[in-house]
Structure formats: structure tokens, C-alpha cells
Amino acid sequence: LGSCLTVPSLELLYSSCTPFLSKNNKLNIVDRTIRMLLPPDSPVIQDLLEALQDEEMTDVVLEGHDQVPVPACRFVLAARSSVLRRMLYGNFKESTSSKILLHEYDSVILEAIVEWCCRNEISKFRLYIHRTAVSARRLVQLYKAADYLALVGLAKMVAQMAHNLTTRFPPLACAVYDEADLHTKISQDALEMIEKRPYVTLPPDSDTEGGIACLTEHKLISIYEDSNVQAGELFLFQMLKEWLQCRNEDHDSTSRGAVPDGEEGERQHNDFA
């Protein structure tokens, strides 16, 4: 089939199918046919990749809770994610809207989703990742988005990035575990590290802002109820005192208004600049 079809015949095939096929079936036919016609290093593929980066060629905008618009191509999003395909070409209001609201995420996460859909990489997002608890949480947020949107390859890559980060900087395992949903791979990996290496993962660390201070009360309790944590009672008691001290310091800072909301937002923005 690949040897007898040309690009004009592809257009003819698509137009002839139009009256009879659903939107999803049309996407499937075009996607499979393009794969047969064009090798990965084809100039056509390269031109298409460049076009996907051109905002003038986009036809939909993603918007997160920070209200920063992220332009994208509806067809590409649908071709890459079955969830987005149902959303953009199904019987949902998003199928007729030029703006898609995804308030669970911010623009950094949505830009990474778009870049993955277009290029199968997240080179821009990697610039935001440093050895800090904020960065560790950002990785988990992207993992959640990839998992929700059924972007399996992206979820797998981000889980590996989180694993590499916590291996190099063990205190960040607490930030990953706290941010992640229970029973997901990224949560289980972080929990396993805390269980096996509590003496390096739990102590508060000023360089990474990681350690037990990252844990919310719910996640802290789950650690202390975990019989697989390989640490003595005296050490765990000391860590609990550290956690309480950090909580009291945070409360005092908030009461004094030490960091106004605007400055905190700016500081977090600079962490990812």
C-alpha cells in the first residue's frame, strides 16, 4: 500500500472517506497511512514538526489554573492521547471550543504536554528541574497529567526522571511521595526509597528543602504506620520532633507575614527560570 500511495492520493482517500467515517476513524486512517508513506527522517516530517511549533498554525489553546494560554494543534493532541481525542472530537463541549480548560495543571505542565505530543520529548520542561523539593513536586505534577491523559511514554519517562533525581538527592523522595497519589508507580518508588534508606531520606535538608518537613500530616502518618521502614524508634522519634519544629516555624512565618504571596510566587517562578 505504501508504495502505491502518494500524498495527493492520500488526500483523495481522506476526502472519499469523509462522508462515511467518524472523526476518530478518519484520524486513524490518516495516521496509519502517513506512517507507511513517510520515514521518520523525511523532509515532510521535519517540515510538519516545524509547523507544529508555529503559533500561527495552532487552532486550540490550553489554559491551566495560572490562566497562561498554551497554543496547540487539535489534531496532534487527539492523535497522541486517547483521552484528548475523546475530549476534542467526541460529544464534549471542548469539541466545539477553541479554549480547553485544564485547571488541575499550570502552564508549565501544559507546555510539556504539548511538546511531548508534538516532538516526543520535553526538552523545555527539563530546564525547570533542579535539585529542589519544588522541582520534585513539579515532576509528580507532570506524571499525574501524563497518567490522566493516557500518555504512557511520557509517564514512564517522568517516573524515571523522578527516580534519578531522588537517587542523587535522597531527601527529595519525601517531596515526591507527598505530592504523588498513593499506589501509583512514582509514589511506590519514592516510598521504597524511604523504607530502605530512612537515615538519608527523612532528615531535613536545607540544600534541597527536602526531608520529612515535606510531608503533610496524612503522608507522615502513613510512613510511621509502615512496618517496612528500616529505622530505629529513637531515630523516628527524633524525626517526628523535627517535623513538628518545621511546622511550628512555618506557622510562625505565616503569622508574621514573612513572605507575601506575590513575593513567594515570584520566588517560585525564578526557581524555574
Side-chain angles (χ1 to χ4, degrees), residues 170-235:
L172 295 181
C174 289
V176 171
Y177 179 65
D178 187 68
E179 189 74 22
D181 295 330
L182 289 174
H183 310 304
T184 59
K185 174 175 173 49
I186 201 168
S187 172
Q188 292 171 347
D189 286 349
L191 177 59
E192 183 178 359
M193 177 171 289
I194 294 171
E195 290 173 341
K196 294 181 177 180
R197 305 179 64 191
Y199 292 98
V200 293
T201 56
L202 292 179
D205 181 65
S206 58
D207 290 338
T208 62
E209 299 182 350
I212 198 168
C214 293
L215 298 174
T216 55
E217 184 176 344
H218 173 69
K219 292 296 180 73
L220 178 73
I221 292 173
S222 71
I223 294 295
Y224 275 76
E225 291 179 341
D226 187 348
S227 60
N228 293 321
V229 176
Q230 301 172 10
E233 292 183 0
L234 181 60
F235 171 78

Side-chain angles (χ1 to χ4, degrees), residues 139-156:
L139 277 172
V140 178
Q141 291 161 11
L142 181 55
Y143 177 87
K144 289 181 179 180
D147 185 58
Y148 171 71
L149 296 174
L151 295 169
V152 178
L154 177 58
K156 184 177 180 180

Side-chain angles (χ1 to χ4, degrees), residues 63-65 101-106 109-110 141 144-145 148:
E63 186 175 285
H65 58 71
L101 302 179
L102 296 169
H103 286 160
E104 298 86 351
Y105 317 110
D106 64 13
I109 301 300
L110 296 180
Q141 291 161 11
K144 289 181 179 180
Y148 171 71

Side-chain angles (χ1 to χ4, degrees), residues 20-253:
F20 308 106
L21 297 176
S22 68
K23 292 177 180 178
N24 282 345
N25 284 335
K26 293 172 196 173
L27 292 174
N28 286 330
I29 285 179
V30 172
D31 179 65
R32 288 197 300 267
T33 307
I34 287 176
R35 289 176 185 275
M36 288 187 292
L37 282 172
L38 303 174
D41 58 348
S42 166
V44 177
I45 293 294
Q46 299 305 314
D47 289 344
L48 289 173
L49 287 174
E50 291 181 10
L52 293 176
Q53 307 304 311
D54 187 347
E55 290 191 13
E56 294 183 357
M57 304 288 286
T58 60
D59 58 356
V60 69
V61 169
L62 307 183
E63 186 175 285
H65 58 71
D66 57 356
Q67 298 183 330
V68 176
V70 178
C73 176
R74 181 184 298 267
F75 173 83
V76 173
L77 297 179
R80 295 283 278 162
S81 165
S82 59
V83 174
L84 288 172
R85 178 178 299 188
R86 290 193 297 270
M87 184 185 298
L88 298 172
Y89 287 91
N91 297 320
F92 298 94
K93 64 179 181 179
E94 288 84 358
S95 64
T96 58
S97 175
S98 60
K99 179 186 292 186
I100 309 302
L101 302 179
L102 296 169
H103 286 160
E104 298 86 351
Y105 317 110
D106 64 13
S107 57
V108 173
I109 301 300
L110 296 180
E111 285 177 353
I113 293 295
V114 172
E115 184 179 13
W116 175 262
C117 289
C118 292
R119 307 189 65 87
N120 218 50
E121 60 186 39
I122 49 171
S123 55
K124 183 177 180 180
F125 178 82
R126 290 178 185 274
L127 300 177
Y128 292 98
I129 302 303
H130 309 291
R131 56 177 186 179
T132 65
V134 175
S135 292
R137 292 182 184 277
R138 181 78 75 178
L139 277 172
V140 178
Q141 291 161 11
L142 181 55
Y143 177 87
K144 289 181 179 180
D147 185 58
Y148 171 71
L149 296 174
L151 295 169
V152 178
L154 177 58
K156 184 177 180 180
M157 174 187 289
V158 175
Q160 185 62 50
M161 290 173 63
H163 175 78
N164 295 342
L165 185 66
T166 55
T167 298
R168 292 183 61 194
F169 308 103
L172 295 181
C174 289
V176 171
Y177 179 65
D178 187 68
E179 189 74 22
D181 295 330
L182 289 174
H183 310 304
T184 59
K185 174 175 173 49
I186 201 168
S187 172
Q188 292 171 347
D189 286 349
L191 177 59
E192 183 178 359
M193 177 171 289
I194 294 171
E195 290 173 341
K196 294 181 177 180
R197 305 179 64 191
Y199 292 98
V200 293
T201 56
L202 292 179
D205 181 65
S206 58
D207 290 338
T208 62
E209 299 182 350
I212 198 168
C214 293
L215 298 174
T216 55
E217 184 176 344
H218 173 69
K219 292 296 180 73
L220 178 73
I221 292 173
S222 71
I223 294 295
Y224 275 76
E225 291 179 341
D226 187 348
S227 60
N228 293 321
V229 176
Q230 301 172 10
E233 292 183 0
L234 181 60
F235 171 78
L236 292 175
F237 178 71
Q238 181 62 39
M239 289 301 98
L240 182 58
K241 289 176 61 178
E242 294 277 3
W243 183 84
L244 289 171
Q245 181 179 345
C246 291
R247 281 293 178 270
N248 290 334
E249 290 174 354
D250 289 344
H251 176 73
D252 291 343
S253 297

